Amino acid sequence: MTYCIGYWLEKGLVFASDSRTNAGVDYISSYSKMYVFQPAPDRVFVLLAAGNLATTQAAVHVIQRDLDRAIETGKSDTNNSGAGDLRSCHYLFEAAAYIGEVSMAVQQKHRAALEQAGTSADASFILGGQIGSEPHGLYMIYPQGNAVMATRQTPYLQIGETKYGKPPLDNVGNTNLSLEDAARLCLISEVLTQRSNLTVGPPFELAIVPRNEHTLSQHVTLEADAPELATVIDTWCSAQREALHRLPAFAWEHAEAGR
């Protein structure tokens, strides 16, 4: 299992992912789940992956192969999504549809053998970025190949082990946060998930894509011993304890105090 977050903000996009890969109680390893593509000066894409590791890696290899071929030949093989690679997309939804088709093809190729072995071939992705003067955007691509878009009303998207990290995103997050505050919020969501579920763990990756800049302003990896992680969780827990003490007293407490 893994946990990845994409956050749409007025000022750009923030991405966070863990690196834990679990293939049983006695085999735990680390693989990056974040992939960055900058195939032309007018576009940038960040792709987060969850699900079967072999499936997601194979899909990413196909995406990169298609890009390499397009650069070598100077042309793209357009598919049903209207795009043959990330360089030929005119809109972000075309890129999401293209990745969905690649993912579906890879899953279909290996599904029968994997299911016979008792393993799922499913893969999910979060794609974010910007193409030219089109608005920046964020999509979640389901194992079935279709996708949903983040909106101002639903600005963040999650894949993997999603439930433990939702409260801070729901309670504190909004689209007018600064990119740095959103990155901190996504990091605490990752850390809280790690504390509740051992299938999520560091290194954690953070990436920031400012609106209209077509590049990453930040891309950092935080190892398990990074001091920032300890500081983040200590500060968050301290603030929660303080909030607990500030909650209003129950009616029976007032009654007992008046005796």
Side-chain angles (χ1 to χ4, degrees):
M1 187 59 75
T2 192
Y3 177 40
C4 302
I5 317 162
Y7 212 118
W8 187 95
L9 302 128
E10 300 289 346
K11 297 178 180 178
L13 303 165
V14 170
F15 304 87
S17 63
D18 81 320
S19 302
R20 179 65 55 85
T21 298
N22 186 354
V25 295
D26 57 351
Y27 184 76
I28 297 175
S29 56
S30 295
Y31 287 89
S32 174
K33 312 297 175 59
M34 184 180 295
Y35 305 90
V36 180
F37 299 92
Q38 295 179 279
D42 70 334
R43 61 194 58 209
V44 61
F45 305 96
V46 177
L47 188 66
L48 306 178
N52 184 288
L53 180 62
T55 302
T56 60
Q57 287 187 343
V60 170
H61 292 329
V62 172
I63 294 166
Q64 187 62 58
R65 181 204 64 191
D66 290 348
L67 266 178
D68 293 342
R69 286 180 176 176
I71 292 171
E72 290 173 5
T73 63
K75 60 182 180 179
S76 302
D77 296 325
T78 302
N79 61 13
N80 293 332
S81 69
D85 58 74
L86 293 179
R87 197 178 66 158
S88 67
C89 302
H90 298 290
Y91 301 93
L92 196 62
F93 77 84
E94 293 180 342
Y98 159 70
I99 292 173
E101 289 185 17
V102 170
S103 176
M104 280 289 291
V106 172
Q107 291 178 68
Q108 187 65 31
K109 180 178 180 180
H110 301 287
R111 187 179 305 279
L114 288 171
E115 289 183 349
Q116 188 174 7
T119 302
S120 172
D122 286 359
S124 301
F125 297 91
I126 291 175
L127 172 70
Q130 187 170 15
I131 300 174
S133 60
E134 289 296 311
H136 62 291
L138 188 69
Y139 286 83
M140 179 165 62
I141 304 166
Y142 293 103
Q144 295 77 17
N146 57 334
V148 296
M149 181 180 68
T151 66
R152 285 180 173 83
Q153 293 72 36
T154 309
Y156 70 85
L157 300 173
Q158 304 167 288
I159 53 176
E161 186 54 75
T162 61
K163 56 183 176 293
Y164 298 107
K166 282 181 64 67
L169 300 175
D170 287 335
N171 296 334
V172 182
N174 64 78
T175 60
N176 291 311
L177 290 175
S178 70
L179 295 175
E180 291 73 20
D181 278 347
R184 280 184 278 269
L185 184 60
C186 288
L187 181 59
I188 193 63
S189 180
E190 292 279 353
V191 173
L192 291 176
T193 300
Q194 175 200 3
R195 287 167 65 91
S196 297
N197 192 311
L198 293 178
T199 66
V200 173
F204 296 114
E205 285 188 74
L206 290 171
I208 297 176
V209 179
R211 183 185 60 192
N212 297 332
E213 293 190 12
H214 302 109
T215 189
L216 276 67
S217 64
Q218 301 293 334
H219 186 188
V220 299
T221 300
L222 300 173
E223 302 289 343
D225 59 353
E228 296 95 329
L229 294 183
T231 301
V232 160
I233 193 61
D234 287 346
T235 303
W236 185 266
C237 289
S238 177
Q240 297 300 299
R241 285 191 293 269
E242 180 181 349
L244 174 62
H245 296 314
R246 293 174 58 187
L247 292 176
F250 291 108
W252 72 74
E253 294 177 284
H254 295 299
E256 291 175 351
R259 292 175 183 173

